Amino acid sequence: MDWIKKHSDQFALALLALGLLVAAILVLLKSSGFAENFSAVQTSPAHNDRIAPLDKTALEEATANVSKPSGWDVKKDAGSLFVSHKYLLDPTTHRPVRPGGGGMLNPPVPDDWLLKYELNLLSSTVLQDDPDGDGFSNLDEYLGADRSEKNEDADSTNPKDKESHPPYYTKLFLKQYIAVPFRLKFQSYDGDPKKPDSMSFQINTLDLRQPTVFLKFGDNVPGTKFKLEKFELKSKLNESTGSQDDVSELTVLNTETAERIVLVLEKVINSPDSYALFSYLWPSPPRDIRVKKLQEFVLVPNTQEKYKLIDISETGAQIALPSGEKYTVPLLPK
C-alpha cells in the first residue's frame, strides 16, 4: 500500500492499460460472431410471382354512383332550393320566427294543425273557410268529430276531405227557450174521502176554451196530457181566523213525461209546455226548428236518423242522439 501511495501515477496508468486490454478482448469476441448474426440476411431471397387480387369494391361503387342521374333530395320539412321557409314577425320580440311549434295565430286553432292541412294561416278568414265545401268550416273541422258525452276528446276531421266532417247535430244551437203557460185549478171535490174511488173532482183548465169538468181517478183531463191519480185530504190552521183551511191535494200524472203534479184545492198550478227553438246552421242560410219537449225530430240531410228533445232550460237543451247517447245543445252564439 505504501508503494501505491508513493507511485500513484504509475498505478493509475497500469489500471488504464488493463481496461484497454479487456475492451480489446471483448471487441475481438464480438467481431468473431458477426458473420453468424447476418447469415440469414446474406442468403438469397425466394422468388414469388403471385400478386394478391385487387379489391374493386370502392371502384365499383364509385362507377355506379357516377352512372346514376343527379337529383335533389328534399326532406319533408326542408325548404325549397330557391324559396325560404315562411317566417313571421313575433309581436313581442319583433324577431322573425317560423310558424308552428305550438304557436297560435288563429285561436283556438294551433298553427301546426293549419300547416298540417296546408291551410293559409295568414288569411283573416281561414277559420271560416270551407275548402272541401261540406258545409263545415275549418274551425268546425278542428273542434272534432263526435262531441257527445262519451266522445268529448274526439279527433279533428279533415278539412280537405268532403267525406270527413263532424256530425250534423254539432251545427244545432238553441236559439230560444219557449214555455207556453198551461194552468190547472183544482176547484172542488165531492164524495167520501174514505172512499176515494167514488169521489169526483172539479178541474178547470184556465188556458183552454172548455167548460169545467168533473172527473174520477183514472180519467184524463180533456185536451191535456194529465190523468187523475191520487187524492189526499189535508187541512191547515189559518192563524188569522183560527179555523182550519182545507188544503187537500190532488195528484195528476203527466202521461208524456211521467211527471207528477200536485194540485192544491183552489190554487192555480202552472205546468207550462216547454219548447226549444233551435237554429240549424247546416247548410247556409240557417233555419229554425221548433221542437216540443220529449218530441222527436230529424236533421237534413240524414232524415232517417231521429233525435229526441229530452230536457230544456234557459241555458241549453239536452237531446238524445240516434245512438242513444246524450248531447247538450249549446246556446246560439251572439
Side-chain angles (χ1 to χ4, degrees), residues 60-71:
E60 291 173 352
E61 290 179 356
T63 303
N65 291 334
V66 170
S67 62
K68 292 180 181 179
S70 59

Side-chain angles (χ1 to χ4, degrees), residues 220-294:
N220 288 320
V221 179
T224 76
K225 53 196 171 185
F226 297 105
K227 180 175 69 174
L228 276 62
E229 188 177 65
K230 185 178 71 172
F231 172 76
E232 187 174 357
L233 183 65
K234 284 188 176 183
S235 62
K236 181 180 179 182
L237 177 64
N238 188 327
E239 296 181 355
S240 61
T241 63
S243 61
Q244 295 288 332
D245 290 342
D246 192 344
V247 290
S248 297
E249 296 178 350
L250 178 65
T251 302
V252 295
L253 174 69
N254 187 324
T255 56
E256 289 185 356
T257 65
E259 296 175 339
R260 288 174 171 80
I261 299 175
V262 177
L263 305 179
V264 181
L265 184 65
E266 296 185 345
K267 301 291 184 182
V268 176
I269 302 297
N270 186 21
S271 177
D273 285 330
S274 300
Y275 293 84
L277 182 62
F278 292 119
S279 183
Y280 187 43
L281 306 186
W282 191 97
S284 184
R287 68 191 70 182
D288 290 343
I289 304 174
R290 177 169 166 151
V291 183
K292 187 177 180 180
K293 184 178 178 180
L294 300 181

Side-chain angles (χ1 to χ4, degrees), residues 46-277:
H47 293 284
N48 184 5
D49 56 356
R50 294 183 179 179
I51 300 176
L54 179 64
D55 185 3
K56 300 180 182 180
T57 303
L59 181 61
E60 291 173 352
E61 290 179 356
T63 303
N65 291 334
V66 170
S67 62
K68 292 180 181 179
S70 59
W72 185 261
D73 185 14
V74 180
K75 296 181 179 179
K76 181 179 180 181
D77 297 328
S80 170
L81 178 62
F82 302 105
V83 180
S84 169
H85 284 291
K86 290 182 179 179
Y87 283 86
L88 303 174
L89 190 64
D90 189 290
T92 304
T93 63
H94 301 289
R95 293 181 179 178
V97 294
R98 283 186 62 182
M104 195 179 298
L105 292 175
N106 302 273
V109 182
D111 296 345
D112 289 332
W113 188 86
L114 296 172
L115 293 173
K116 174 183 177 181
Y117 293 105
E118 299 180 347
L119 300 172
N120 185 6
L121 52 83
L122 298 181
S123 171
S124 59
T125 62
V126 64
L127 298 187
Q128 292 75 43
D129 293 342
D130 181 14
D132 54 10
D134 59 5
F136 294 88
S137 67
N138 289 330
L139 178 60
D140 294 331
E141 303 266 8
Y142 169 74
L143 290 177
D146 187 354
R147 298 200 295 269
S148 59
E149 289 185 354
K150 291 188 177 181
N151 297 278
E152 293 180 353
D153 299 323
D155 293 334
S156 301
T157 51
N158 188 342
K160 291 193 172 181
D161 182 359
K162 196 168 185 177
E163 299 302 320
S164 172
H165 57 74
Y168 292 102
Y169 64 78
T170 60
K171 301 291 283 184
L172 191 67
F173 295 88
L174 178 62
K175 185 176 182 179
Q176 184 181 358
Y177 165 60
I178 303 173
V180 178
F182 188 83
R183 295 170 297 167
L184 292 172
K185 186 177 180 181
F186 175 24
Q187 190 70 43
S188 65
Y189 60 90
D190 182 43
D192 186 358
K194 295 181 180 180
K195 300 178 180 179
D197 291 340
S198 64
M199 298 178 65
S200 61
F201 305 91
Q202 182 181 1
I203 306 296
N204 289 344
T205 53
L206 303 181
D207 295 301
L208 295 179
R209 295 181 178 180
Q210 62 184 19
T212 298
V213 292
F214 294 86
L215 305 171
K216 293 182 177 297
F217 288 138
D219 291 342
N220 288 320
V221 179
T224 76
K225 53 196 171 185
F226 297 105
K227 180 175 69 174
L228 276 62
E229 188 177 65
K230 185 178 71 172
F231 172 76
E232 187 174 357
L233 183 65
K234 284 188 176 183
S235 62
K236 181 180 179 182
L237 177 64
N238 188 327
E239 296 181 355
S240 61
T241 63
S243 61
Q244 295 288 332
D245 290 342
D246 192 344
V247 290
S248 297
E249 296 178 350
L250 178 65
T251 302
V252 295
L253 174 69
N254 187 324
T255 56
E256 289 185 356
T257 65
E259 296 175 339
R260 288 174 171 80
I261 299 175
V262 177
L263 305 179
V264 181
L265 184 65
E266 296 185 345
K267 301 291 184 182
V268 176
I269 302 297
N270 186 21
S271 177
D273 285 330
S274 300
Y275 293 84
L277 182 62

